[in-house]
Amino acid sequence: MLAPIHHHQPRMFSNPRNAPGPDNIHGRVLRDCAAQLTDVLTDIFNTSLSQAVVPTCLKSTSIIPVPKKSPVSCLNDYHPIALTPIMMKCFERLVIHNIKTSLSNTLDPLQFAYRPNRSTDNAISSTLHLALTHLENKDSYVRMLFIDFSSAFNTIIPQQLINKLNLLGLNTSLCNWILDFLTGRPQSVRVGHNTSSTTTLSTGAPQGCVLSPLLFTLLTHDCTANFSSKHIIKFADDTMVVVLIRNNDETHYREEVAQLVEWCGANNLSLNVSKTKEVVMDFRRNSVDHPLLTIDSSAVERVSSTKFLGVHITEDLTWTTNTMSLSKKAQQRLYFLRRLKRASLPPPILTTFYRGTIESVLTSCFTVWYGNCSAADRNTLQRTVNTAAKIIGAPLPSLLDIFPCTMLWTPPTPPIISSSSCHQEDATGASEPALQDCSTAFSPRL
C-alpha cells in the first residue's frame, strides 16, 4: 500500500508540461494542487491496488498519430502515440518502482533497460567488448543481427505476460492489477480537432504509457541465447544478436536464429525482416563470402553500417560514420543558437541552451566511441564546439576536456555473470570468457 507522505508529491506530480490525456487535466493543475490531492489520490490508488481494478476513466487513451518520417506515404509511417491521464502516469511510476524492487535479481543480465547503473552506453560497450575480445582469436569473425519487431508493444497478450510475471515471482495481487490495466482499455484516435469513435482493446500495451516498456522487457526476459558463443543484447524492444564464429562454422548461428523466430511466434511477436539488418565483422586476410541469412524465406539485408541505440556501428569498427552523423545534427541546431543570439540573450542563457541541445548531441554515448575515434573525427566535432563558442561569445569546454569527466561520472558496467553453465557448448568445446567490466574496454587515446 502507498502512504500519503509528502515526499511522494514531487515524484508523482513531476513534469507539468506533459500533454493531458482524454480527461484534459493538465499536469500543472495537479502539481499546483498536490498538497490537496495527495491524500485523495493515495486512497484511490490503494483501493485500486487492493481490488486489482483500474478505473476505466484512468485507462482511457487518445491515440495521436505522429509521423515517423516526412513525407508520409502510408499509415505505417505513423507512430501511434498514446496520451493517457497524467494521474495514471503518476500511479504507473509508483507501480514501476514496486516491480523493479521485487524483480531486480531475476531479470536477464543482458537486458540493459530499467536496470540500476545501466544505460545505452553500457549496452553498446558490452556488445563491442564481446566482439573485440573474440576477434583477437585466430580464424574468427563476428556476425551481428539487429532485430526489428513489428508493432512490438501492440502485440503483447496480457494473460501470457501475467503467466511470465507469476513465474518471475511477482505477487498475485499486482499481477491481477496489471492484467486489469492492460484489458478493457477505451481508445480513440485524435487528429487535430477531430476524434474518432471509441473502441475497447484488450491486447497490447499503449506506446506512451509509463509501464509499457518495462512490461515488454519482462515479456522478453526469457529470450536468451542457447549457445555460449551467442549473446542477445536487449534494451527494451531494441534487440541485437551477437554471434562469435570460429572456423567458418555457422551452424549454431542459424540454429539460434531459427529458435529466436520460433520464440517470437510463441510470444505473438513478429520479426520485420525488411527492417532487420546484419553486419559482418571479418578482419581475416583470407575471408570468404558469407552466405546471406534467411528468415521465413526472406533474405536479411547485409549492410556496412547500421544504427543501434543512437550509435552507428560499422563493419570495420571505425567511428567516422557516427561522428559525421552527430556533427550534422549538432550543426543544424546552431541555427537556433544564432537566432537566440540575435534576440540579445546573455551568454549564460546561450551556454545553457548549447549544453542542453548541442553538447548533449555531440556527447551522446560518449564513453563508447570517443576514446577510439580518429583525430580527424575529433576535429570535426570540435569545430562545431568552436563555432558555438564564437556565437555565444564565451569559452566552452572542449570535448577532449569533457571526455575524462564523463568517464569518471558514468557508473561502471556491472559485471555480467556468464550463463554458460546453462548453455550448450560449441562444437569446438570452447566457451567464451565471461563478460567483465566493460568500462576499460575502450581506453581513451588522449
Side-chain angles (χ1 to χ4, degrees):
M1 291 299 178
L2 306 176
I5 47 183
H6 295 291
H7 70 261
H8 277 171
Q9 294 178 19
R11 178 173 60 185
M12 289 173 58
F13 301 109
S14 60
N15 197 0
R17 295 184 297 274
N18 280 343
D23 57 1
N24 287 321
I25 299 178
H26 289 257
R28 185 164 296 278
V29 174
L30 297 175
R31 186 145 196 164
D32 292 343
C33 300
Q36 293 79 16
L37 291 175
T38 298
D39 292 339
V40 176
L41 292 184
T42 299
D43 289 340
I44 294 174
F45 292 169
N46 280 334
T47 302
S48 175
L49 284 173
S50 62
Q51 298 181 2
V53 174
V54 181
T56 303
C57 61
L58 294 182
K59 294 193 291 185
S60 59
T61 305
S62 292
I63 302 297
I64 308 298
V66 176
K68 298 179 184 177
K69 59 182 181 179
S70 182
V72 173
S73 59
C74 63
L75 294 179
N76 287 332
D77 290 339
Y78 288 98
H79 274 301
I81 303 301
L83 295 183
T84 57
I86 294 179
M87 283 188 292
M88 191 61 206
K89 292 181 183 293
C90 300
F91 194 10
E92 290 177 65
R93 291 189 188 98
L94 298 175
V95 173
I96 279 182
H97 177 73
N98 185 292
I99 294 175
K100 291 166 65 176
T101 302
S102 303
L103 303 181
S104 58
N105 296 325
T106 58
L107 299 179
D108 178 10
L110 293 181
Q111 172 61 261
F112 290 85
Y114 291 100
R115 307 294 296 278
N117 295 333
R118 297 196 184 188
S119 65
T120 55
D121 295 55
N122 304 127
I124 299 172
S125 293
S126 299
T127 299
L128 297 180
H129 177 78
L130 286 168
L132 291 171
T133 302
H134 178 72
L135 289 171
E136 293 178 355
N137 299 317
K138 183 180 179 180
D139 198 19
S140 62
Y141 61 97
V142 176
R143 297 184 73 154
M144 293 185 179
L145 184 66
F146 299 85
I147 302 294
D148 184 87
F149 294 111
S150 298
S151 302
F153 290 178
N154 296 332
T155 59
I156 295 177
I157 298 177
Q159 188 57 59
Q160 191 174 38
L161 171 64
I162 298 306
N163 293 338
K164 292 191 177 186
L165 294 181
N166 283 323
L167 293 176
L168 284 172
L170 199 63
N171 68 75
T172 304
S173 177
L174 189 54
C175 286
N176 291 336
W177 184 92
I178 293 174
L179 179 61
D180 190 78
F181 169 77
L182 293 175
T183 55
R185 302 184 65 92
Q187 178 176 293
S188 61
V189 179
R190 192 174 75 204
V191 179
H193 298 290
N194 301 314
T195 304
S196 71
S197 57
T198 301
T199 185
T200 301
L201 299 179
S202 293
T203 57
Q207 296 185 42
C209 283
V210 177
L211 263 175
S212 296
L214 177 60
L215 294 180
F216 185 83
T217 65
L218 297 176
L219 177 72
T220 60
H221 84 278
D222 57 344
C223 179
T224 56
N226 296 299
F227 300 97
S228 60
S229 61
K230 318 298 181 292
H231 305 269
I232 301 179
I233 308 294
K234 295 176 284 187
F235 194 94
D237 60 330
D238 292 302
T239 305
M240 172 173 49
V241 181
V242 182
V243 186
L244 314 176
I245 301 174
R246 293 179 181 175
N247 303 319
N248 296 319
D249 184 4
E250 298 185 352
T251 304
H252 288 164
Y253 173 43
R254 299 182 184 279
E255 289 180 6
E256 190 70 58
V257 173
Q259 291 173 7
L260 176 62
V261 173
E262 182 180 350
W263 180 92
C264 290
N267 289 271
N268 200 40
L269 287 171
S270 175
L271 288 178
N272 190 342
V273 181
S274 63
K275 292 185 178 180
T276 296
K277 309 297 180 185
E278 185 188 38
V279 174
V280 178
M281 300 173 181
D282 190 350
F283 296 96
R284 297 175 298 174
R285 292 182 179 179
N286 299 320
S287 60
V288 298
D289 291 334
H290 303 285
L292 292 175
L293 177 67
T294 302
I295 298 178
D296 293 336
S297 302
S298 299
V300 175
E301 181 183 3
R302 183 177 300 157
V303 295
S304 59
S305 172
T306 192
K307 196 173 184 180
F308 181 69
L309 299 178
V311 175
H312 290 269
I313 298 177
T314 62
E315 62 183 2
D316 57 1
L317 291 175
T318 59
W319 300 107
T320 300
T321 302
N322 186 67
T323 54
M324 293 299 294
S325 175
L326 296 178
S327 177
K328 180 180 179 180
K329 186 175 181 179
Q331 288 174 3
Q332 291 173 344
R333 299 187 179 191
L334 289 176
Y335 166 78
F336 300 102
L337 187 63
R338 293 188 178 96
R339 291 291 300 269
L340 294 176
K341 177 66 174 180
R342 295 192 191 105
S344 302
L345 267 67
I349 295 180
L350 295 176
T351 301
T352 300
F353 178 83
Y354 160 80
R355 295 197 63 184
T357 62
I358 299 176
E359 184 181 278
S360 61
V361 170
L362 296 175
T363 58
S364 175
C365 289
F366 209 36
T367 58
V368 173
W369 53 265
Y370 189 78
N372 275 357
C373 70
S374 66
D377 292 337
R378 294 186 185 186
N379 292 336
T380 299
L381 298 175
Q382 187 59 40
R383 280 194 292 270
T384 304
V385 178
N386 297 340
T387 301
K390 291 179 181 179
I391 296 172
I392 294 173
L396 295 172
S398 68
L399 297 178
L400 197 61
D401 294 332
I402 294 174
F403 180 65
C405 300
T406 306
M407 292 293 291
L408 293 173
W409 176 85
T410 302
T413 303
I416 297 177
I417 308 283
S418 173
S419 54
S420 58
S421 59
C422 302
H423 291 166
Q424 303 175 27
E425 287 190 348
D426 290 339
T428 60
S431 60
E432 295 297 325
L435 184 60
Q436 302 298 326
D437 187 346
C438 298
S439 60
T440 59
F442 307 98
S443 57
R445 299 173 181 172
L446 300 179

